Amino acid sequence: MDTARQGVCEPLETGRNHKQIEQMKTFKTRHQLFLSEELSKRLAQRARVTGKAKSDILVEALDAWFNRREGSQNLEALEVRASGIERRLDALSRRQGIFWEAFARMLRHQLILASTMPRPDDAGLAAAARHFQNFIDEMADRLAGKEAPPSDDPAIDKLRKLH
């Protein structure tokens, strides 16, 4: 397409005042375009069916083509966002696995204590407080992304394989 000239498209005087004509002025660049006979027929038919000018249809088609071509940049941006979402989902999955592991440990511990032991004395309560603090420290490390310490418990190993 060659740029032939730049000008102002003005409507014909049809009884409108000058102010209305000023508002309708648009700046456009003229291009010369050669179409195959088939494309020319299709363009003319589309213009008749829609009631639009051929140049308006061509402008819309070019705009759609450019937007589609620039869509690859949008696709790259979406891929970056999808990668971020995937990382967050992985972290969420890890945290969910940690939760179930912690829940299973606490449940088993509570059931064992409740069913086999009398109420603990002060030494037992102090030991329980230390165990609880160790548990909280481990969970904080795990939530921060640190690897789990090795376990000799097959039930814990089974849960870890799930996440």
PDB file of all heavy atoms in Angstrom, residues 94-110 132 135-136 138-140 142-143 155-156 159-160 163:
ATOM      1  N   ARG A  94       1.383 -27.946  48.545  1.00  0.00           N
ATOM      2  CA  ARG A  94       2.362 -28.327  49.571  1.00  0.00           C
ATOM      3  C   ARG A  94       1.812 -28.019  50.962  1.00  0.00           C
ATOM      4  O   ARG A  94       1.887 -28.844  51.873  1.00  0.00           O
ATOM      5  CB  ARG A  94       3.680 -27.595  49.339  1.00  0.00           C
ATOM      6  CG  ARG A  94       4.778 -27.992  50.315  1.00  0.00           C
ATOM      7  CD  ARG A  94       6.106 -27.296  50.049  1.00  0.00           C
ATOM      8  NE  ARG A  94       6.000 -25.866  50.285  1.00  0.00           N
ATOM      9  CZ  ARG A  94       6.100 -24.924  49.339  1.00  0.00           C
ATOM     10  NH1 ARG A  94       6.310 -25.261  48.089  1.00  0.00           N
ATOM     11  NH2 ARG A  94       5.998 -23.654  49.639  1.00  0.00           N
ATOM     12  N   ARG A  95       1.228 -26.849  51.119  1.00  0.00           N
ATOM     13  CA  ARG A  95       0.668 -26.474  52.417  1.00  0.00           C
ATOM     14  C   ARG A  95      -0.498 -27.379  52.815  1.00  0.00           C
ATOM     15  O   ARG A  95      -0.656 -27.725  53.978  1.00  0.00           O
ATOM     16  CB  ARG A  95       0.235 -25.015  52.400  1.00  0.00           C
ATOM     17  CG  ARG A  95       1.428 -24.090  52.393  1.00  0.00           C
ATOM     18  CD  ARG A  95       1.028 -22.655  52.385  1.00  0.00           C
ATOM     19  NE  ARG A  95       2.226 -21.830  52.469  1.00  0.00           N
ATOM     20  CZ  ARG A  95       2.296 -20.606  52.054  1.00  0.00           C
ATOM     21  NH1 ARG A  95       1.237 -20.032  51.535  1.00  0.00           N
ATOM     22  NH2 ARG A  95       3.411 -19.929  52.164  1.00  0.00           N
ATOM     23  N   GLN A  96      -1.298 -27.749  51.846  1.00  0.00           N
ATOM     24  CA  GLN A  96      -2.409 -28.650  52.143  1.00  0.00           C
ATOM     25  C   GLN A  96      -1.873 -30.003  52.604  1.00  0.00           C
ATOM     26  O   GLN A  96      -2.390 -30.589  53.559  1.00  0.00           O
ATOM     27  CB  GLN A  96      -3.288 -28.817  50.908  1.00  0.00           C
ATOM     28  CG  GLN A  96      -4.509 -29.669  51.151  1.00  0.00           C
ATOM     29  CD  GLN A  96      -5.337 -29.843  49.895  1.00  0.00           C
ATOM     30  OE1 GLN A  96      -4.812 -29.818  48.789  1.00  0.00           O
ATOM     31  NE2 GLN A  96      -6.621 -30.034  50.067  1.00  0.00           N
ATOM     32  N   GLY A  97      -0.837 -30.503  51.958  1.00  0.00           N
ATOM     33  CA  GLY A  97      -0.229 -31.763  52.375  1.00  0.00           C
ATOM     34  C   GLY A  97       0.338 -31.674  53.776  1.00  0.00           C
ATOM     35  O   GLY A  97       0.201 -32.607  54.582  1.00  0.00           O
ATOM     36  N   ILE A  98       0.970 -30.550  54.072  1.00  0.00           N
ATOM     37  CA  ILE A  98       1.520 -30.349  55.411  1.00  0.00           C
ATOM     38  C   ILE A  98       0.392 -30.334  56.440  1.00  0.00           C
ATOM     39  O   ILE A  98       0.511 -30.907  57.521  1.00  0.00           O
ATOM     40  CB  ILE A  98       2.350 -29.046  55.463  1.00  0.00           C
ATOM     41  CG1 ILE A  98       3.599 -29.193  54.604  1.00  0.00           C
ATOM     42  CG2 ILE A  98       2.723 -28.691  56.898  1.00  0.00           C
ATOM     43  CD1 ILE A  98       4.327 -27.882  54.353  1.00  0.00           C
ATOM     44  N   PHE A  99      -0.703 -29.689  56.093  1.00  0.00           N
ATOM     45  CA  PHE A  99      -1.841 -29.653  57.007  1.00  0.00           C
ATOM     46  C   PHE A  99      -2.316 -31.060  57.345  1.00  0.00           C
ATOM     47  O   PHE A  99      -2.535 -31.390  58.512  1.00  0.00           O
ATOM     48  CB  PHE A  99      -2.993 -28.836  56.397  1.00  0.00           C
ATOM     49  CG  PHE A  99      -4.285 -29.028  57.128  1.00  0.00           C
ATOM     50  CD1 PHE A  99      -4.523 -28.366  58.319  1.00  0.00           C
ATOM     51  CD2 PHE A  99      -5.251 -29.897  56.643  1.00  0.00           C
ATOM     52  CE1 PHE A  99      -5.709 -28.556  59.008  1.00  0.00           C
ATOM     53  CE2 PHE A  99      -6.439 -30.097  57.321  1.00  0.00           C
ATOM     54  CZ  PHE A  99      -6.663 -29.420  58.512  1.00  0.00           C
ATOM     55  N   TRP A 100      -2.515 -31.895  56.331  1.00  0.00           N
ATOM     56  CA  TRP A 100      -3.022 -33.238  56.586  1.00  0.00           C
ATOM     57  C   TRP A 100      -2.030 -34.059  57.399  1.00  0.00           C
ATOM     58  O   TRP A 100      -2.424 -34.870  58.244  1.00  0.00           O
ATOM     59  CB  TRP A 100      -3.395 -33.939  55.286  1.00  0.00           C
ATOM     60  CG  TRP A 100      -4.673 -33.394  54.726  1.00  0.00           C
ATOM     61  CD1 TRP A 100      -4.830 -32.679  53.587  1.00  0.00           C
ATOM     62  CD2 TRP A 100      -5.967 -33.494  55.332  1.00  0.00           C
ATOM     63  NE1 TRP A 100      -6.152 -32.325  53.428  1.00  0.00           N
ATOM     64  CE2 TRP A 100      -6.875 -32.822  54.492  1.00  0.00           C
ATOM     65  CE3 TRP A 100      -6.451 -34.080  56.491  1.00  0.00           C
ATOM     66  CZ2 TRP A 100      -8.226 -32.721  54.782  1.00  0.00           C
ATOM     67  CZ3 TRP A 100      -7.804 -33.982  56.773  1.00  0.00           C
ATOM     68  CH2 TRP A 100      -8.675 -33.308  55.925  1.00  0.00           C
ATOM     69  N   GLU A 101      -0.751 -33.860  57.139  1.00  0.00           N
ATOM     70  CA  GLU A 101       0.262 -34.561  57.933  1.00  0.00           C
ATOM     71  C   GLU A 101       0.182 -34.125  59.395  1.00  0.00           C
ATOM     72  O   GLU A 101       0.199 -34.955  60.315  1.00  0.00           O
ATOM     73  CB  GLU A 101       1.657 -34.288  57.377  1.00  0.00           C
ATOM     74  CG  GLU A 101       2.750 -34.986  58.144  1.00  0.00           C
ATOM     75  CD  GLU A 101       4.134 -34.722  57.588  1.00  0.00           C
ATOM     76  OE1 GLU A 101       4.262 -34.406  56.385  1.00  0.00           O
ATOM     77  OE2 GLU A 101       5.091 -34.828  58.369  1.00  0.00           O
ATOM     78  N   ALA A 102       0.091 -32.825  59.609  1.00  0.00           N
ATOM     79  CA  ALA A 102      -0.002 -32.321  60.979  1.00  0.00           C
ATOM     80  C   ALA A 102      -1.265 -32.816  61.663  1.00  0.00           C
ATOM     81  O   ALA A 102      -1.242 -33.233  62.831  1.00  0.00           O
ATOM     82  CB  ALA A 102       0.038 -30.796  60.973  1.00  0.00           C
ATOM     83  N   PHE A 103      -2.365 -32.797  60.954  1.00  0.00           N
ATOM     84  CA  PHE A 103      -3.624 -33.267  61.524  1.00  0.00           C
ATOM     85  C   PHE A 103      -3.531 -34.742  61.914  1.00  0.00           C
ATOM     86  O   PHE A 103      -3.969 -35.138  63.001  1.00  0.00           O
ATOM     87  CB  PHE A 103      -4.763 -33.041  60.515  1.00  0.00           C
ATOM     88  CG  PHE A 103      -6.084 -33.531  60.994  1.00  0.00           C
ATOM     89  CD1 PHE A 103      -6.776 -32.866  61.996  1.00  0.00           C
ATOM     90  CD2 PHE A 103      -6.645 -34.675  60.449  1.00  0.00           C
ATOM     91  CE1 PHE A 103      -8.000 -33.325  62.447  1.00  0.00           C
ATOM     92  CE2 PHE A 103      -7.871 -35.140  60.903  1.00  0.00           C
ATOM     93  CZ  PHE A 103      -8.547 -34.468  61.901  1.00  0.00           C
ATOM     94  N   ALA A 104      -2.962 -35.565  61.054  1.00  0.00           N
ATOM     95  CA  ALA A 104      -2.831 -36.996  61.361  1.00  0.00           C
ATOM     96  C   ALA A 104      -1.940 -37.216  62.581  1.00  0.00           C
ATOM     97  O   ALA A 104      -2.249 -38.044  63.440  1.00  0.00           O
ATOM     98  CB  ALA A 104      -2.256 -37.732  60.148  1.00  0.00           C
ATOM     99  N   ARG A 105      -0.840 -36.475  62.666  1.00  0.00           N
ATOM    100  CA  ARG A 105       0.042 -36.603  63.833  1.00  0.00           C
ATOM    101  C   ARG A 105      -0.689 -36.223  65.130  1.00  0.00           C
ATOM    102  O   ARG A 105      -0.597 -36.925  66.135  1.00  0.00           O
ATOM    103  CB  ARG A 105       1.262 -35.698  63.684  1.00  0.00           C
ATOM    104  CG  ARG A 105       2.289 -36.195  62.710  1.00  0.00           C
ATOM    105  CD  ARG A 105       3.455 -35.229  62.731  1.00  0.00           C
ATOM    106  NE  ARG A 105       4.459 -35.582  61.753  1.00  0.00           N
ATOM    107  CZ  ARG A 105       5.625 -34.954  61.678  1.00  0.00           C
ATOM    108  NH1 ARG A 105       5.913 -33.977  62.515  1.00  0.00           N
ATOM    109  NH2 ARG A 105       6.503 -35.315  60.771  1.00  0.00           N
ATOM    110  N   MET A 106      -1.365 -35.087  65.088  1.00  0.00           N
ATOM    111  CA  MET A 106      -2.053 -34.629  66.298  1.00  0.00           C
ATOM    112  C   MET A 106      -3.180 -35.574  66.692  1.00  0.00           C
ATOM    113  O   MET A 106      -3.373 -35.859  67.873  1.00  0.00           O
ATOM    114  CB  MET A 106      -2.591 -33.206  66.083  1.00  0.00           C
ATOM    115  CG  MET A 106      -1.492 -32.167  66.022  1.00  0.00           C
ATOM    116  SD  MET A 106      -2.076 -30.454  65.974  1.00  0.00           S
ATOM    117  CE  MET A 106      -3.177 -30.433  64.597  1.00  0.00           C
ATOM    118  N   LEU A 107      -3.921 -36.045  65.724  1.00  0.00           N
ATOM    119  CA  LEU A 107      -5.028 -36.942  66.021  1.00  0.00           C
ATOM    120  C   LEU A 107      -4.521 -38.238  66.646  1.00  0.00           C
ATOM    121  O   LEU A 107      -5.051 -38.695  67.671  1.00  0.00           O
ATOM    122  CB  LEU A 107      -5.830 -37.235  64.748  1.00  0.00           C
ATOM    123  CG  LEU A 107      -7.038 -38.136  64.905  1.00  0.00           C
ATOM    124  CD1 LEU A 107      -8.045 -37.526  65.880  1.00  0.00           C
ATOM    125  CD2 LEU A 107      -7.670 -38.392  63.551  1.00  0.00           C
ATOM    126  N   ARG A 108      -3.509 -38.824  66.054  1.00  0.00           N
ATOM    127  CA  ARG A 108      -2.957 -40.058  66.605  1.00  0.00           C
ATOM    128  C   ARG A 108      -2.419 -39.823  68.012  1.00  0.00           C
ATOM    129  O   ARG A 108      -2.673 -40.611  68.930  1.00  0.00           O
ATOM    130  CB  ARG A 108      -1.867 -40.619  65.706  1.00  0.00           C
ATOM    131  CG  ARG A 108      -1.317 -41.937  66.274  1.00  0.00           C
ATOM    132  CD  ARG A 108      -0.256 -42.561  65.430  1.00  0.00           C
ATOM    133  NE  ARG A 108       0.770 -41.586  65.180  1.00  0.00           N
ATOM    134  CZ  ARG A 108       1.636 -41.679  64.186  1.00  0.00           C
ATOM    135  NH1 ARG A 108       1.571 -42.694  63.358  1.00  0.00           N
ATOM    136  NH2 ARG A 108       2.544 -40.761  64.011  1.00  0.00           N
ATOM    137  N   HIS A 109      -1.669 -38.762  68.188  1.00  0.00           N
ATOM    138  CA  HIS A 109      -1.107 -38.447  69.500  1.00  0.00           C
ATOM    139  C   HIS A 109      -2.218 -38.282  70.543  1.00  0.00           C
ATOM    140  O   HIS A 109      -2.144 -38.842  71.649  1.00  0.00           O
ATOM    141  CB  HIS A 109      -0.255 -37.177  69.408  1.00  0.00           C
ATOM    142  CG  HIS A 109       0.311 -36.731  70.700  1.00  0.00           C
ATOM    143  ND1 HIS A 109       1.346 -37.385  71.332  1.00  0.00           N
ATOM    144  CD2 HIS A 109      -0.021 -35.699  71.515  1.00  0.00           C
ATOM    145  CE1 HIS A 109       1.625 -36.781  72.466  1.00  0.00           C
ATOM    146  NE2 HIS A 109       0.808 -35.742  72.596  1.00  0.00           N
ATOM    147  N   GLN A 110      -3.230 -37.558  70.188  1.00  0.00           N
ATOM    148  CA  GLN A 110      -4.336 -37.327  71.128  1.00  0.00           C
ATOM    149  C   GLN A 110      -5.065 -38.622  71.462  1.00  0.00           C
ATOM    150  O   GLN A 110      -5.403 -38.865  72.629  1.00  0.00           O
ATOM    151  CB  GLN A 110      -5.313 -36.300  70.553  1.00  0.00           C
ATOM    152  CG  GLN A 110      -6.448 -35.956  71.470  1.00  0.00           C
ATOM    153  CD  GLN A 110      -5.990 -35.347  72.801  1.00  0.00           C
ATOM    154  OE1 GLN A 110      -5.013 -34.614  72.847  1.00  0.00           O
ATOM    155  NE2 GLN A 110      -6.683 -35.680  73.874  1.00  0.00           N
ATOM    156  N   PHE A 132       5.254 -29.889  71.705  1.00  0.00           N
ATOM    157  CA  PHE A 132       4.401 -28.964  70.955  1.00  0.00           C
ATOM    158  C   PHE A 132       5.236 -27.871  70.295  1.00  0.00           C
ATOM    159  O   PHE A 132       5.045 -27.546  69.122  1.00  0.00           O
ATOM    160  CB  PHE A 132       3.334 -28.355  71.874  1.00  0.00           C
ATOM    161  CG  PHE A 132       2.410 -27.410  71.159  1.00  0.00           C
ATOM    162  CD1 PHE A 132       1.467 -27.877  70.266  1.00  0.00           C
ATOM    163  CD2 PHE A 132       2.482 -26.032  71.374  1.00  0.00           C
ATOM    164  CE1 PHE A 132       0.607 -27.007  69.604  1.00  0.00           C
ATOM    165  CE2 PHE A 132       1.635 -25.160  70.710  1.00  0.00           C
ATOM    166  CZ  PHE A 132       0.698 -25.657  69.835  1.00  0.00           C
ATOM    167  N   PHE A 135       7.023 -29.257  67.361  1.00  0.00           N
ATOM    168  CA  PHE A 135       6.057 -29.436  66.277  1.00  0.00           C
ATOM    169  C   PHE A 135       5.789 -28.109  65.561  1.00  0.00           C
ATOM    170  O   PHE A 135       5.811 -28.039  64.331  1.00  0.00           O
ATOM    171  CB  PHE A 135       4.759 -30.022  66.849  1.00  0.00           C
ATOM    172  CG  PHE A 135       3.625 -30.050  65.866  1.00  0.00           C
ATOM    173  CD1 PHE A 135       3.588 -31.006  64.868  1.00  0.00           C
ATOM    174  CD2 PHE A 135       2.599 -29.116  65.926  1.00  0.00           C
ATOM    175  CE1 PHE A 135       2.545 -31.044  63.955  1.00  0.00           C
ATOM    176  CE2 PHE A 135       1.564 -29.142  65.025  1.00  0.00           C
ATOM    177  CZ  PHE A 135       1.530 -30.107  64.031  1.00  0.00           C
ATOM    178  N   ILE A 136       5.550 -27.057  66.317  1.00  0.00           N
ATOM    179  CA  ILE A 136       5.284 -25.739  65.728  1.00  0.00           C
ATOM    180  C   ILE A 136       6.494 -25.268  64.931  1.00  0.00           C
ATOM    181  O   ILE A 136       6.359 -24.740  63.812  1.00  0.00           O
ATOM    182  CB  ILE A 136       4.899 -24.713  66.823  1.00  0.00           C
ATOM    183  CG1 ILE A 136       3.554 -25.083  67.460  1.00  0.00           C
ATOM    184  CG2 ILE A 136       4.870 -23.280  66.276  1.00  0.00           C
ATOM    185  CD1 ILE A 136       2.391 -25.093  66.492  1.00  0.00           C
ATOM    186  N   GLU A 138       8.761 -27.128  63.430  1.00  0.00           N
ATOM    187  CA  GLU A 138       8.841 -27.922  62.203  1.00  0.00           C
ATOM    188  C   GLU A 138       7.798 -27.456  61.188  1.00  0.00           C
ATOM    189  O   GLU A 138       8.093 -27.318  60.000  1.00  0.00           O
ATOM    190  CB  GLU A 138       8.645 -29.404  62.503  1.00  0.00           C
ATOM    191  CG  GLU A 138       8.778 -30.255  61.249  1.00  0.00           C
ATOM    192  CD  GLU A 138       8.495 -31.728  61.482  1.00  0.00           C
ATOM    193  OE1 GLU A 138       8.616 -32.199  62.631  1.00  0.00           O
ATOM    194  OE2 GLU A 138       8.146 -32.398  60.488  1.00  0.00           O
ATOM    195  N   MET A 139       6.593 -27.197  61.642  1.00  0.00           N
ATOM    196  CA  MET A 139       5.544 -26.741  60.724  1.00  0.00           C
ATOM    197  C   MET A 139       5.901 -25.379  60.118  1.00  0.00           C
ATOM    198  O   MET A 139       5.690 -25.146  58.927  1.00  0.00           O
ATOM    199  CB  MET A 139       4.190 -26.662  61.439  1.00  0.00           C
ATOM    200  CG  MET A 139       3.588 -28.014  61.808  1.00  0.00           C
ATOM    201  SD  MET A 139       3.286 -29.070  60.370  1.00  0.00           S
ATOM    202  CE  MET A 139       4.566 -30.302  60.579  1.00  0.00           C
ATOM    203  N   ALA A 140       6.475 -24.494  60.905  1.00  0.00           N
ATOM    204  CA  ALA A 140       6.891 -23.187  60.384  1.00  0.00           C
ATOM    205  C   ALA A 140       7.970 -23.356  59.326  1.00  0.00           C
ATOM    206  O   ALA A 140       7.940 -22.697  58.278  1.00  0.00           O
ATOM    207  CB  ALA A 140       7.379 -22.298  61.528  1.00  0.00           C
ATOM    208  N   ARG A 142       8.443 -26.004  57.456  1.00  0.00           N
ATOM    209  CA  ARG A 142       7.823 -26.631  56.277  1.00  0.00           C
ATOM    210  C   ARG A 142       7.019 -25.618  55.471  1.00  0.00           C
ATOM    211  O   ARG A 142       7.059 -25.610  54.244  1.00  0.00           O
ATOM    212  CB  ARG A 142       6.923 -27.787  56.717  1.00  0.00           C
ATOM    213  CG  ARG A 142       7.633 -28.913  57.463  1.00  0.00           C
ATOM    214  CD  ARG A 142       8.378 -29.874  56.565  1.00  0.00           C
ATOM    215  NE  ARG A 142       7.532 -30.533  55.605  1.00  0.00           N
ATOM    216  CZ  ARG A 142       6.772 -31.591  55.845  1.00  0.00           C
ATOM    217  NH1 ARG A 142       6.761 -32.124  57.049  1.00  0.00           N
ATOM    218  NH2 ARG A 142       6.042 -32.107  54.894  1.00  0.00           N
ATOM    219  N   LEU A 143       6.291 -24.762  56.171  1.00  0.00           N
ATOM    220  CA  LEU A 143       5.522 -23.734  55.470  1.00  0.00           C
ATOM    221  C   LEU A 143       6.437 -22.732  54.783  1.00  0.00           C
ATOM    222  O   LEU A 143       6.061 -22.126  53.777  1.00  0.00           O
ATOM    223  CB  LEU A 143       4.564 -23.021  56.431  1.00  0.00           C
ATOM    224  CG  LEU A 143       3.374 -23.861  56.888  1.00  0.00           C
ATOM    225  CD1 LEU A 143       2.607 -23.150  57.986  1.00  0.00           C
ATOM    226  CD2 LEU A 143       2.462 -24.188  55.716  1.00  0.00           C
ATOM    227  N   ALA A 155       3.245 -44.273  58.309  1.00  0.00           N
ATOM    228  CA  ALA A 155       2.021 -43.495  58.048  1.00  0.00           C
ATOM    229  C   ALA A 155       2.376 -42.089  57.580  1.00  0.00           C
ATOM    230  O   ALA A 155       1.750 -41.554  56.649  1.00  0.00           O
ATOM    231  CB  ALA A 155       1.152 -43.441  59.299  1.00  0.00           C
ATOM    232  N   ILE A 156       3.389 -41.474  58.214  1.00  0.00           N
ATOM    233  CA  ILE A 156       3.822 -40.137  57.803  1.00  0.00           C
ATOM    234  C   ILE A 156       4.430 -40.195  56.404  1.00  0.00           C
ATOM    235  O   ILE A 156       4.155 -39.345  55.553  1.00  0.00           O
ATOM    236  CB  ILE A 156       4.813 -39.545  58.830  1.00  0.00           C
ATOM    237  CG1 ILE A 156       4.134 -39.369  60.190  1.00  0.00           C
ATOM    238  CG2 ILE A 156       5.413 -38.229  58.331  1.00  0.00           C
ATOM    239  CD1 ILE A 156       2.927 -38.454  60.188  1.00  0.00           C
ATOM    240  N   LEU A 159       1.641 -40.303  53.893  1.00  0.00           N
ATOM    241  CA  LEU A 159       1.028 -38.982  53.680  1.00  0.00           C
ATOM    242  C   LEU A 159       1.935 -38.079  52.842  1.00  0.00           C
ATOM    243  O   LEU A 159       1.460 -37.324  51.988  1.00  0.00           O
ATOM    244  CB  LEU A 159       0.728 -38.312  55.019  1.00  0.00           C
ATOM    245  CG  LEU A 159      -0.538 -38.757  55.723  1.00  0.00           C
ATOM    246  CD1 LEU A 159      -0.625 -38.113  57.097  1.00  0.00           C
ATOM    247  CD2 LEU A 159      -1.751 -38.411  54.901  1.00  0.00           C
ATOM    248  N   ARG A 160       3.231 -38.133  53.091  1.00  0.00           N
ATOM    249  CA  ARG A 160       4.157 -37.296  52.342  1.00  0.00           C
ATOM    250  C   ARG A 160       4.165 -37.641  50.853  1.00  0.00           C
ATOM    251  O   ARG A 160       4.384 -36.757  50.021  1.00  0.00           O
ATOM    252  CB  ARG A 160       5.576 -37.405  52.908  1.00  0.00           C
ATOM    253  CG  ARG A 160       5.711 -36.692  54.230  1.00  0.00           C
ATOM    254  CD  ARG A 160       7.099 -36.829  54.789  1.00  0.00           C
ATOM    255  NE  ARG A 160       7.205 -36.115  56.052  1.00  0.00           N
ATOM    256  CZ  ARG A 160       8.228 -36.210  56.857  1.00  0.00           C
ATOM    257  NH1 ARG A 160       9.271 -36.973  56.538  1.00  0.00           N
ATOM    258  NH2 ARG A 160       8.256 -35.537  57.983  1.00  0.00           N
ATOM    259  N   HIS A 163       1.651 -35.664  48.604  1.00  0.00           N
ATOM    260  CA  HIS A 163       1.843 -34.271  48.220  1.00  0.00           C
ATOM    261  C   HIS A 163       3.194 -34.034  47.728  1.00  0.00           C
ATOM    262  O   HIS A 163       4.054 -34.155  47.306  1.00  0.00           O
ATOM    263  CB  HIS A 163       1.512 -33.311  49.360  1.00  0.00           C
ATOM    264  CG  HIS A 163       2.314 -33.464  50.602  1.00  0.00           C
ATOM    265  ND1 HIS A 163       3.487 -32.827  50.804  1.00  0.00           N
ATOM    266  CD2 HIS A 163       2.091 -34.204  51.714  1.00  0.00           C
ATOM    267  CE1 HIS A 163       3.950 -33.145  52.000  1.00  0.00           C
ATOM    268  NE2 HIS A 163       3.114 -33.986  52.569  1.00  0.00           N
TER     269      HIS A 163
END
